[in-house]
């Protein structure tokens, strides 16, 4: 409710891809040691890699000389070449392993860094952002997109350098040996390069689409399971399966599209490579026949090409990693670049020692051009309670959400001890103010950890007192594992009322100066609520309390009651004053309490 | 982002963000489980044809890959060395090479395409059969299961199996290639071939030594990754509570620890996988030097041709590439087995409520409901309903009243056949509900839940829900009937306004009204309604009461009633206590009866749910004393 629409959509802009790569690469540049070691290893790997075809060529050359000239057999020559080959190959393995490790490691570090950045950002983004985006979407980004970027770095980052060096130096070498054959042996490179780039573009667009469709599918499945009772009660399984099949088919189509793009790409690239090889044999063969070239030289070319085979086959994977990296990176950076709507002012101060005098001065709030709060003025002081009542959509919860700055008012100001809350550090503000929501989230952790969620350093005694005050202690004490009982997944399932009481305990443990109950006892029975109120009265004696409730008995005893409708304060005063006034409040009172009087 | 503030900040005693607390290594560590592979194979059955085509393509691909170096050999030996002119043989060899490339291209492309597409389809089928199964398993299973956890099976585990399928087909292709190469080597020169193949046992030995360490490292890497994902998801779902309670810093530093553990584990696993590279390459080098030295000697003896030597060199590279890749395959296999286990675990959850064979359609019913000696419970030997019998006449509205745990919800769930009775029978429109199809039962029995659940999508689609044939006019009419039309018209796009996740952009009361309109569009003869206790404020209660009356018009109604107004409005009230019917009659009759109902009523609560348990207990004790 009450949120500002903000644009969180991901623009599918192909031009932004280079920007995405640059950002990812910049992240990689931070790991200087790994990077330098990686690049050094690449040089060695390329060197040893290219030494091998030369050695093989020499070997063949020697052998062919023996055959053609029937010269004296120099066996030590073979043995030397054999040993060199062994050395070159194992050193190639060592340095390939090393640069791969450096590449993987940089990728993993970036993944780690992104996970932290993302985590930190999500914690800071305002409520308005979170209410506008499906949590499944954010989770998909966290899982798949971070992996996408990390994979790009791991498989494509250093390998690109390796490939460029290998081809560059290799080209210099082969062209020096024989210009025509050298050009022929590398003739597949421009084609492979062009295919790779165009495929990357196609794949990237398709990765974008696939991620979006996957989010839709996730939503369908998530809602089906969360609303399983609705599905069952309408016997709408078939309808749900159709929804699933539709979303599923859309992902399948895009996935198939990707398969087609990838298959044709991989096949064309390796075929172009083989064609180059064919040309080398053809033209090289003619040259050998004409006596312009030795068998050994031809063997060098062939060996050189056979060494290129593995990296060429890697190209397909790298292209995919590039495409996915851009798509995933784009989606991730869109979140990471999001500016939290709620920010501290530059010289915000810590107001931990405030008394807790809360004032609303002409506060207005609206979203999408619709006004939900108009000219709200009130003052709440320590030791006093304000009650807020009104029909749904009247803006009650908005008032509660404005105080800890989950949202900011459109105009007007809210002050605590006469300091505008915008000038208070968010941390100290939220320590001062605690809102107990109607439907609050409990974490998959023990009861103890849930009660102490806001202050994990709390003493056992504090946790006990808080649960005693909310009439939860006896229930917990009777559980086999008492306070260590897990909540959620593998633990007990608490009733709505118990959950609400736990979340009240969670808030009062923090001893906030201002505590707001936003319909937080709706599922608690009236008698238990009464007991909680009495217990809390002592605990919140010196605190400022605001009670928002549908149930009049919850707030009848407030020092001031505000009746809110259409975002405006319609009536205000004590219970007695409002009853004697005979307005909307007393009408509501009649409706709710009359059966008692009957 | 401050990593260390003070010691206290780093070690909060009552904080943990880990969700996954245990991992069974038995399940997560194996790389091959026949049962799982077998069951997985079943999903390949519908694609027999494609698989045969794919195998043919793979065979052609392997053959052409093996043939190309052979052609090179003949070119060198026959054309270049023996004849040494551009003659027929040379032209033939070159032409053969290009034909080989063409076959390689076509078969390679087909192989990639077919396998890729079958893989995608299998993945979708697997997810579908899991999802479909979840539509049928008992509600008590679904209640126990967390949505997020199920989602990770539907997405993550299925993706792991897809990866497995991809790897296994690449693996089969590689294996065929290796076999083909070995054949070609022996065909060319068995002595040289033996020297080269001689390195394979060494490789196997290395792998056997390497495996146990690598296995643990891969496993650790995956387990830590899943812990990180769990913590991240939980924080996203609970972000409001995190911000409200300012747990950001604590959570961040805890998360940092988890993410760092994962980083370390990943790094270690990488070390184990890259260590294979120099090993395999050293073996490649041994092979190459053996070929050069041995080949050289053989050539000088005149028992080997140069072309053969070149072909051997070309084969060596192709031979060791797939072996190097095997390292990566291992961790994919390991992951797939664990994922398969979790997927089939879901598919194996038994379905309790099924259509009987020859189940008939339930049509043209009058709307009567009969419970005959029904006994039912959720846990064996602990019945919740004990031998309950009652009738509801067509068009009648009956309120079910009673304290928590008295069995109200069980009665409504049974009427809708969410569960089957232990004993006795439920008859609707003259037929035992177990003898009719579930679909036709659903067309006759509607249900409005206490908590209105809405889907992402427009208001129009939400009110229509599965009745896609309903027109816009039907929807508007239904909304008017329940009094939702006015607020809908005030929304920015009226009926086309998109609802956000769980309908969070409208109030609870409004969501309730939409769920009423949804029930009107479904238009069932019988309506079961679980009245909202507190989700609707008293202010809209009047609106709701009016809507309720409209909803129950011309229908048989079974209402779990909480509000006095609803209870008084019912034609008949059934009072339940501890799974038994203790009183029945209308409001006035029950009040004058002076039983539990009248006691509860005299306590003057506007909602029976507000009455504390102790008061109900003392009321029934009083009653017992009066009767004895």
């Amino acid at each position: 409710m009450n949120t500002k629409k903000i644009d969180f959509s991901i623009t599918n802009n192909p031009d932004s891809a280079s920007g995405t790569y640059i950002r990812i690469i910049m992240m990689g540049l931070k790991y200087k040691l790994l990077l330098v070691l990686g690049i050094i290893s690449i040089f060695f790997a390329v060197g040893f890699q290219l030494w091998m075809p030369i050695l093989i060529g020499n070997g063949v050359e020697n052998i062919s000389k023996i055959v053609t000239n029937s010269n004296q057999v120099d066996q030590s020559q073979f043995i030397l070449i054999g040993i060199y080959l062994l050395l070159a190959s194992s050193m190639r393995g060592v340095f390939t392993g090393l640069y791969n490790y450096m590449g993987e490691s940089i990728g993993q570090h970036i993944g780690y860094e992104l996970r932290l950045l993302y985590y930190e950002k999500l914690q800071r983004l305002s409520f308005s952002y979170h209410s506008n985006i499906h949590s499944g979407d954010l989770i998909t980004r966290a899982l798949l997109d971070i992996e996408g970027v990390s994979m790009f770095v791991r498989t494509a980052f250093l390998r690109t350098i390796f490939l460029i060096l290998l081809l560059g130096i290799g080209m210099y070498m082969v062209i020096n040996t024989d210009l025509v054959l050298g050009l022929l042996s590398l003739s597949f490179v421009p084609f492979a390069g062009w295919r790779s780039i165009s495929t990357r573009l196609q794949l990237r667009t398709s990765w974008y689409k696939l991620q979006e469709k996957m989010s839709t599918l996730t939503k369908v499945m998530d809602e089906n399971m969360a609303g399983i009772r609705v599905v069952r009660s309408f016997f709408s399984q078939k309808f749900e399966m159709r929804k699933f099949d539709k979303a599923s088919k859309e992902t399948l189509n895009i996935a198939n599209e990707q398969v087609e793009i990838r298959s044709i790409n991989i096949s064309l690239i390796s075929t172009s490579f083989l064609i180059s090889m064919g040309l080398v044999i053809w033209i090289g063969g003619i040259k050998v026949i004409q006596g312009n070239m030795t068998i050994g030289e031809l063997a060098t070319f062939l060996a050189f090409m056979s060494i290129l085979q593995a990296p060429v086959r890697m190209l397909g994977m790298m292209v995919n990693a590039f495409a996915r990296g851009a798509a995933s990176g784009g989606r991730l950076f869109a979140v990471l670049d999001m500016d939290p709507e709620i920010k501290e002012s530059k010289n915000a101060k810590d107001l931990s020692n405030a008394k807790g005098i809360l004032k609303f001065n002409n506060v207005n709030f609206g979203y999408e051009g619709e006004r939900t709060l108009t000219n709200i003025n009130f003052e709440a002081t320590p030791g006093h309670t304000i009650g807020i009542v009104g029909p749904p959509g009247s803006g009650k919860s908005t008032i509660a959400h404005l105080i800890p700055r989950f949202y900011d008012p459109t105009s007007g100001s809210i002050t605590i001890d006469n300091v505008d809350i915008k000038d208070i550090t968010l941390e100290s503000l939220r320590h001062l103010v605690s809102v107990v929501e109607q439907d609050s989230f409990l974490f998959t952790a023990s009861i103890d950890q849930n009660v102490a969620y806001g202050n994990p350093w709390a003493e056992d005694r504090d946790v006990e007192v808080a649960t005693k005050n909310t009439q939860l202690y006896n229930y917990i004490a009777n559980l086999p594992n008492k306070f260590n009982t897990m909540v959620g997944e593998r633990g007990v399932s608490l009733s709505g009322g118990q959950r609400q009481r736990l979340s009240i305990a969670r808030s009062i443990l923090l001893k906030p100066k201002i505590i707001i109950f936003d319909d937080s006892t709706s599922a608690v029975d009236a008698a238990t609520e009464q007991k909680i109120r009495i217990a809390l009265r002592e605990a919140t004696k010196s605190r400022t309390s605001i009670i928002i409730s549908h149930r009049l008995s919850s707030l009848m005893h407030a020092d001031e009651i505000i009746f809110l409708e259409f975002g405006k304060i319609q009536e205000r005063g004590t219970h007695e004053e409002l009853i004697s006034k005979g307005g909307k409040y007393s009408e509501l009172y009649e409706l709710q309490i009359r059966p008692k009087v009957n | 982002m401050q990593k260390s503030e003070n010691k206290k900040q780093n070690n909060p005693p009552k904080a943990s963000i880990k969700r996954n607390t245990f991992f069974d290594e038995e399940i997560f560590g194996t790389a091959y489980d026949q049962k799982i592979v077998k069951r997985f194979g079943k999903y390949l059955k519908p694609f027999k044809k494609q698989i045969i085509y794919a195998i043919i393509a793979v065979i052609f691909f392997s053959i052409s890959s093996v043939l190309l170096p052979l052609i090179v050999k003949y070119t060198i030996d026959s054309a270049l060395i023996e004849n040494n002119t551009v003659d027929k043989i040379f032209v033939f060899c070159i032409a053969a090479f290009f034909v080989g490339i063409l076959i390689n291209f076509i078969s390679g492309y087909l192989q990639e395409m077919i396998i890729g597409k079958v893989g995608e389809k299998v993945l979708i089928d697997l997810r579908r059969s899991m999802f479909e199964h979840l539509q049928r398993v008992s509600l008590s299973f679904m209640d126990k299961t967390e949505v997020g956890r199920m989602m990770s099976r539907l997405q993550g585990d299925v993706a792991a199996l897809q990866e497995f399928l991809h790897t296994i087909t690449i693996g089969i292709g590689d294996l065929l290639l290796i076999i083909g190469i070995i054949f070609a080597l022996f065909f060319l020169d068995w002595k040289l071939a033996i020297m080269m193949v001689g390195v394979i046992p060494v490789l196997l030995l290395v792998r056997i030594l390497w495996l146990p360490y690598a296995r643990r490292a891969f496993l650790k890497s995956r387990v830590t990754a899943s812990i990180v994902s769990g913590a991240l998801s939980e924080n996203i779902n609970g972000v409001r509570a995190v911000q409200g309670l300012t747990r950001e810093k604590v959570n961040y530093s805890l998360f940092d620890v988890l993410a760092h553990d994962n980083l370390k584990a990943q790094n270690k696993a990488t070390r184990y996988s890259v260590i294979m590279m120099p090993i395999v390459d050293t073996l490649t080098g041994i092979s190459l030097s053996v070929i050069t030295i041995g080949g050289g000697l053989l050539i000088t003896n005149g028992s080997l041709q140069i072309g053969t030597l070149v072909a051997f060199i070309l084969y060596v590279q192709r031979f060791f590439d797939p072996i190097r890749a095997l390292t990566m395959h291992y961790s994919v296999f390991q992951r797939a087995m664990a994922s398969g286990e979790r997927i089939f675990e879901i598919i194996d959850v038994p379905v309790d409520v099924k259509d009987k064979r020859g189940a008939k359609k339930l049509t043209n019913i009058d709307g009567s409901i009969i419970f005959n000696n029904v006994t039912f419970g959720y846990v064996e030997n602990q019945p919740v309903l004990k031998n309950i019998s009652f009738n509801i006449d067509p068009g009648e509205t009956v309120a079910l009243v009673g304290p928590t745990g008295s069995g109200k919800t069980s009665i409504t769930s049974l009427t809708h056949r969410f569960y089957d009775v232990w004993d006795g029978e439920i008859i609707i429109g003259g037929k035992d509900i177990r003898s009719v199809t579930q679909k036709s039962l659903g067309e006759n029995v509607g249900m409005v839940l206490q908590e209105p659940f809405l889907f992402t999508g427009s208001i129009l689609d939400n009110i229509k829900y599965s009745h896609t044939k309903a027109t816009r006019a039907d929807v508007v009419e239904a909304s008017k009937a329940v009094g939702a039309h006015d607020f809908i018209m005030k929304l920015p796009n009226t009926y086309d306004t998109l609802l956000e996740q769980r309908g969070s952009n409208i109030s609870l009361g409004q969501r309730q009204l939409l769920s009423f309109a949804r029930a009107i569009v479904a238009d069932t003869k019988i309506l079961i309604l679980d009245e909202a206790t507190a989700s609707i404020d008293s202010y809209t209660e009047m609106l709701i009461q009016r809507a309720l009356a409209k909803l129950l018009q011309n229908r048989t109604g079974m209402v779990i009633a909480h509000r006095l107004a609803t209870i008084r409005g019912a034609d008949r009230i059934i009072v339940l206590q501890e799974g038994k019917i203790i009183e029945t009659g209308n409001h006035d009759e029950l009040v004058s009866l002076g039983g539990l109902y009248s006691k509860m009523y005299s306590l003057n609560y506007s909602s029976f749910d507000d009455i504390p348990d102790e008061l109900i207990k003392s009321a029934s004790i009083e009653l017992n004393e009066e009767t004895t």
Side-chain angles (χ1 to χ4, degrees), chain A residues 1 89 92 108 112 123 125 218 223 229 232 240 245 260 313 444 453 457 460 489 550 592, chain B residues 8 14 117 128 137 143 146 149 155 234 243 247 256 270 281 318 456 465 504 537-538:
Chain A
M1 242 191 295
S89 184
R92 175 187 76 167
Q108 285 159 0
Y112 162 73
Q123 287 194 335
L125 283 169
T218 306
E223 293 193 343
R229 283 178 182 275
R232 296 288 171 99
E240 289 288 317
D245 283 338
E260 278 166 34
R313 279 192 296 146
T444 312
Y453 199 80
W457 297 275
D460 288 348
E489 218 172 301
H550 292 132
Q592 276 193 22
Chain B
K8 204 184 161 198
K14 291 189 193 300
K117 285 193 174 177
R128 187 180 197 278
V137 298
D143 289 344
E146 211 203 355
R149 226 172 126 207
Q155 302 281 53
E234 174 114 325
Q243 291 189 0
R247 259 288 285 261
D256 192 358
T270 307
D281 266 345
R318 281 304 262 144
T456 311
Y465 190 46
S504 61
D537 62 305
S538 302

Side-chain angles (χ1 to χ4, degrees), chain A residues 5-278:
Chain A
K5 252 292 188 259
I6 42 160
D7 183 31
F8 56 87
S9 62
I10 306 310
T11 44
N12 183 357
N13 180 9
D15 295 331
S16 66
S18 51
T20 307
Y21 291 133
I22 290 172
R23 277 182 75 167
I24 298 174
I25 290 165
M26 293 304 278
M27 290 182 81
L29 291 183
K30 270 194 295 184
Y31 301 97
K32 287 199 183 77
L33 182 67
L34 290 175
L35 202 63
V36 168
L37 288 178
I39 291 174
I40 292 172
S41 307
I42 285 178
F43 271 100
F44 279 103
V46 168
F48 284 115
Q49 178 91 296
L50 289 174
W51 192 25
M52 286 171 66
I54 296 174
L55 287 172
I56 291 171
N58 281 345
V60 175
E61 183 71 40
N62 271 323
I63 293 166
S64 66
K65 268 184 197 147
I66 296 164
V67 175
T68 47
N69 303 340
S70 310
N71 272 357
Q72 199 65 39
V73 182
D74 187 1
Q75 288 190 359
S76 66
Q77 197 79 14
F78 295 157
I79 292 167
L80 197 61
I81 288 175
I83 290 168
Y84 281 159
L85 263 177
L86 177 59
L87 181 75
S89 184
S90 49
M91 281 300 116
R92 175 187 76 167
V94 168
F95 287 107
T96 309
L98 274 178
Y99 95 75
N100 268 305
Y101 175 72
M102 302 304 160
E104 288 274 342
S105 191
I106 293 173
Q108 285 159 0
H109 274 96
I110 288 180
Y112 162 73
E113 211 182 306
L114 281 174
R115 255 171 222 123
L116 289 187
L117 283 173
Y118 191 71
Y119 194 87
E120 199 257 353
K121 181 56 108 184
L122 287 185
Q123 287 194 335
R124 277 200 303 131
L125 283 169
S126 323
F127 276 32
S128 52
Y129 178 78
H130 285 287
S131 7
N132 273 313
I133 192 156
H134 203 284
S135 55
D137 204 3
L138 288 177
I139 293 170
T140 311
R141 281 176 210 220
L143 303 186
L144 297 181
D145 290 334
I146 292 179
E147 174 57 24
V149 172
S150 160
M151 197 191 80
F152 158 69
V153 178
R154 277 176 0 231
T155 59
F157 190 46
L158 286 183
R159 219 165 262 171
T160 310
I161 302 176
F162 170 77
L163 214 60
I164 290 172
L165 271 180
L166 184 70
L167 287 175
I169 300 176
M171 199 188 301
Y172 176 76
M173 271 171 47
V174 285
I175 287 175
N176 255 350
T177 317
D178 187 294
L179 181 68
V180 179
L181 224 50
L183 287 177
L184 280 181
S185 66
L186 291 167
S187 59
F188 72 95
V189 172
F191 178 80
W194 165 70
R195 280 298 315 170
S196 300
I197 289 167
S198 70
T199 307
R200 186 182 62 79
L201 288 176
Q202 285 173 30
L203 274 180
R204 198 185 57 219
T205 327
S206 138
W207 268 111
Y208 267 120
K209 279 196 281 177
L210 189 66
Q211 300 298 49
E212 300 290 316
K213 295 292 177 210
M214 281 306 281
S215 294
T216 313
L217 186 65
T218 306
K219 261 181 238 174
V220 169
M221 295 194 290
D222 170 77
E223 293 193 343
N224 172 282
M225 281 183 281
I228 191 81
R229 283 178 182 275
V230 175
V231 175
R232 296 288 171 99
S233 65
F234 278 81
F235 277 99
S236 56
Q237 284 95 333
K238 282 222 173 107
F239 173 71
E240 289 288 317
M241 283 314 292
R242 277 205 300 275
K243 273 208 281 191
F244 172 85
D245 283 338
K246 188 172 168 258
S248 186
K249 186 143 199 302
E250 281 171 358
T251 63
L252 180 65
N253 287 342
I254 298 171
N256 275 338
E257 206 178 276
Q258 283 200 0
V259 168
E260 278 166 34
I261 297 172
R262 271 202 297 258
S263 310
I264 191 76
N265 183 50
I266 291 172
S267 311
L268 278 179
I269 289 180
S270 35
T271 302
S272 69
F273 166 77
L274 287 176
I275 289 177
S276 295
M277 195 164 173

Side-chain angles (χ1 to χ4, degrees), chain B residues 69-89:
Chain B
L70 265 186
I71 297 172
V72 173
K73 172 212 149 39
Y74 284 112
T75 319
I76 292 175
D77 287 341
S78 308
L80 301 188
I81 294 176
E82 234 170 79
N83 297 2
N84 206 18
T85 49
V86 183
D87 60 1
K88 258 193 216 156
I89 295 176

Side-chain angles (χ1 to χ4, degrees), chain B residues 337-365:
Chain B
M337 291 307 129
S339 294
E341 179 93 27
R342 282 191 295 245
I343 288 175
F344 293 122
E345 193 181 285
I346 297 297
I347 295 181
D348 290 343
V349 174
V351 176
D352 301 331
V353 179
K354 283 184 228 172
D355 277 354
K356 254 195 190 152
R357 230 185 243 179
K360 292 200 182 75
K361 267 192 161 183
L362 186 66
T363 44
N364 291 324
I365 62 158

